[in-house]
Amino acid sequence: RFKRMYYSYIKIIFLIVFSSLILISIINFFVDPEQVYPKLFSNTNPVLKKFSKELTSSKYGIINKFGKLNERDRKKALAMFSEDADCAIFGSSHIMEISSFREDKSLTKYCKSIINLGVSGGTLEDYYAFSNMLLENKHTIGTIVFGLDPWSLKFNMDQRWNKIKNDFDKMKNRLKIKSQYPNSSYTVSLILNLINLEYLIESLDKLTSEDRLKDKDKDKDKETFIHAEKFDINKGISGSAVTLPDGSWAYSSEYINEQKLYIKIYDGFHGITYKISQLVGARWYDDNAINDLTNLVIFLQSKFNIIFVMTPYHPKVWEHQQPTVEAMKSIENKVHMLAKQLNITVIGSYNPVKIGCSKDEFFDGMHATSKCLKKLERKVLKR
């Protein structure tokens, strides 16, 4: 009798746990606060077109509170539908403040107007995907700027690019590249994320938010965009970052104030191993990736002027002998060699001394402010 009770108890516990995981998975999949799961029976193209039109025609930008559009969706919208820009820039969060809209404009000698297609964790795969988007759509862009990071000359340095994998595959086919780039780890991470407690908390927050309640009766395929009022971009607005009309980024006032305090005591070590830690013990670059990037650039050069840009890391980082500095030196040399081979202009440097960026012109160890980024052209190597 005791044994039967024991097994019954185990079954009950198992059913409770299993049912809870199923419920959590359903909530996370359908609420999906970061918009990483594909939506069934949903056509996102009208939403993308609406976002691009509203952003580029806005006076001061759109507040970063979105219901359905993931970050890469929003930048895809700009690549597909934006007009009247002569430069598009690819890259990671390092280049998100490169702008032709704000007072501290960047790349002014080469770009009168910019569409910033930088995304968090941007990698070589993103370059492929966004290149395909530009090739498929009508626009006035004549120059593509590649924001190259120390991890940019390797594949599989991030998984978030899989959100736009279809465009990556199309570009591969254009270039007749047969090598495989496995994304199984991304699929596994999405599955595991369904039972992630932190993601559940984000989902529940979204479910109970005032914005959710206000929009519950609206068409499920529609997206409402909140236009920012006039504000000081260097000070930000409270509660949210803002995507500016050119796709560049203005951080929230809370973040800006926090980072001003943080940067005063920054020691040059914290945070700068981001992605570079994945390279330690291996070569800083991959020859196959460089060959594929070379083929991509040569293909694009028939339609676009191509420029390479490198953005600096904090001066304190360079005061220490550490793998990050070794990686930056190695990759910067490699970028210059590649640019010479392809006859491409290189702007900027990972080393802030070469540009003249001071210690207070950074948010952290690897993200320069617009005041620093407007100085990039102090270091230009023309071919």
Side-chain angles (χ1 to χ4, degrees):
R1 183 180 177 183
F2 175 78
K3 196 171 184 179
R4 285 199 303 271
M5 288 179 63
Y6 174 77
Y7 283 119
S8 296
Y9 176 76
I10 293 297
K11 287 181 180 179
I12 292 170
I13 294 296
F14 175 79
L15 285 172
I16 292 173
V17 172
F18 181 76
S19 299
S20 299
L21 291 177
I22 292 295
L23 178 61
I24 290 170
S25 298
I26 290 172
I27 293 172
N28 281 341
F29 182 84
F30 285 102
V31 178
D32 193 13
E34 297 298 325
Q35 298 302 303
V36 294
Y37 297 104
K39 296 297 173 280
L40 305 178
F41 315 114
S42 177
N43 179 11
T44 59
N45 256 21
V47 181
L48 296 181
K49 190 170 186 178
K50 181 183 178 185
F51 172 76
S52 177
K53 183 177 180 180
E54 290 212 20
L55 179 67
T56 55
S57 63
S58 66
K59 283 189 175 182
Y60 308 110
I62 290 177
I63 293 174
N64 285 17
K65 292 182 179 179
F66 303 100
K68 296 183 180 300
L69 295 183
N70 174 274
E71 180 183 25
R72 278 168 172 75
D73 290 330
R74 302 195 297 270
K75 293 307 176 78
K76 179 173 183 175
L78 295 179
M80 290 175 64
F81 300 112
S82 63
E83 301 173 353
D84 302 326
D86 61 2
C87 286
I89 182 165
F90 304 157
S92 68
S93 57
H94 291 187
I95 57 96
M96 281 187 186
E97 290 222 338
I98 288 181
S99 173
S100 57
F101 176 81
R102 63 173 74 227
E103 185 179 346
D104 293 321
K105 295 178 174 63
S106 304
L107 310 180
T108 54
K109 294 179 183 177
Y110 298 88
C111 301
K112 292 180 180 178
S113 57
I114 292 172
I115 285 296
N116 191 311
L117 302 178
V119 289
S120 301
T123 58
L124 191 49
E125 292 90 343
D126 285 298
Y127 302 157
Y128 271 65
F130 283 108
S131 294
N132 183 72
M133 295 171 202
L134 292 181
L135 288 168
E136 282 192 350
N137 297 285
K138 294 181 179 179
H139 48 69
T140 57
I141 292 165
T143 298
I144 295 178
V145 180
F146 283 79
L148 297 177
D149 294 304
W151 61 81
S152 293
L153 302 184
K154 275 200 167 187
F155 284 107
N156 297 315
M157 293 301 295
D158 200 288
Q159 295 298 325
R160 284 170 283 186
W161 67 270
N162 281 274
K163 190 72 171 68
I164 48 178
K165 186 178 183 297
N166 286 343
D167 285 286
F168 171 79
D169 290 337
K170 288 179 182 178
M171 195 67 232
K172 267 181 59 183
N173 292 335
R174 287 178 189 267
L175 296 173
K176 297 180 173 59
I177 294 175
K178 296 181 179 179
S179 50
Q180 297 296 311
Y181 303 100
N183 68 325
S184 58
S185 56
Y186 179 71
T187 303
V188 171
S189 68
L190 286 181
I191 293 171
L192 292 176
N193 190 59
L194 287 173
I195 56 173
N196 184 295
L197 179 59
E198 290 182 4
Y199 206 66
L200 174 64
I201 293 171
E202 287 186 42
S203 295
L204 294 175
D205 284 343
K206 184 177 177 181
L207 274 173
T208 56
S209 69
E210 290 183 4
D211 289 342
R212 177 82 178 188
L213 293 173
K214 288 177 183 177
D215 295 339
K216 68 179 180 180
D217 294 324
K218 293 185 178 179
D219 190 321
K220 65 180 181 179
D221 289 326
K222 290 185 178 179
E223 174 85 78
T224 300
F225 303 113
I226 305 171
H227 288 238
E229 300 292 334
K230 187 175 182 179
F231 70 105
D232 186 333
I233 294 174
N234 293 321
K235 294 182 179 179
I237 66 168
S238 178
S240 178
V242 175
T243 301
L244 300 177
D246 62 359
S248 62
W249 195 270
Y251 289 104
S252 69
S253 58
E254 289 86 354
Y255 178 82
I256 291 172
N257 292 332
E258 286 172 6
Q259 296 310 110
K260 282 181 179 178
L261 295 175
Y262 169 78
I263 211 66
K264 288 180 179 179
I265 58 171
Y266 182 64
D267 60 7
F269 287 106
H270 184 71
I272 45 77
T273 58
Y274 174 76
K275 293 193 185 299
I276 293 178
S277 61
Q278 296 172 241
L279 304 176
V280 174
R283 296 181 69 183
W284 300 122
Y285 55 86
D286 180 82
D287 288 330
N288 290 330
I290 291 175
N291 289 336
D292 288 348
L293 175 60
T294 300
N295 291 333
L296 173 63
V297 170
I298 291 173
F299 187 89
L300 292 175
Q301 281 179 316
S302 63
K303 294 188 177 182
F304 304 97
N305 175 41
I306 306 297
I307 295 173
F308 288 163
V309 162
M310 290 176 284
T311 61
Y313 278 51
H314 193 281
K316 279 280 186 182
V317 174
W318 285 84
E319 292 178 7
H320 307 284
Q321 291 297 321
Q322 52 184 322
T324 300
V325 173
E326 184 184 342
M328 288 190 289
K329 288 179 179 178
S330 175
I331 296 303
E332 185 158 336
N333 287 335
K334 201 69 181 177
V335 167
H336 282 288
M337 290 173 61
L338 183 60
K340 184 176 182 180
Q341 173 190 336
L342 296 169
N343 195 32
I344 287 174
T345 296
V346 181
I347 300 174
S349 171
Y350 300 134
N351 190 337
V353 173
K354 295 180 180 180
I355 301 170
C357 291
S358 61
K359 294 178 180 179
D360 61 349
E361 292 177 337
F362 289 81
F363 290 111
D364 53 34
M366 58 182 181
H367 291 94
T369 66
S370 59
K371 289 186 178 181
C372 168
L373 295 173
K374 73 177 182 180
K375 302 175 184 178
L376 286 172
E377 289 169 288
R378 291 182 179 181
K379 177 65 176 177
V380 176
L381 192 57
K382 295 182 180 180
R383 303 299 179 185

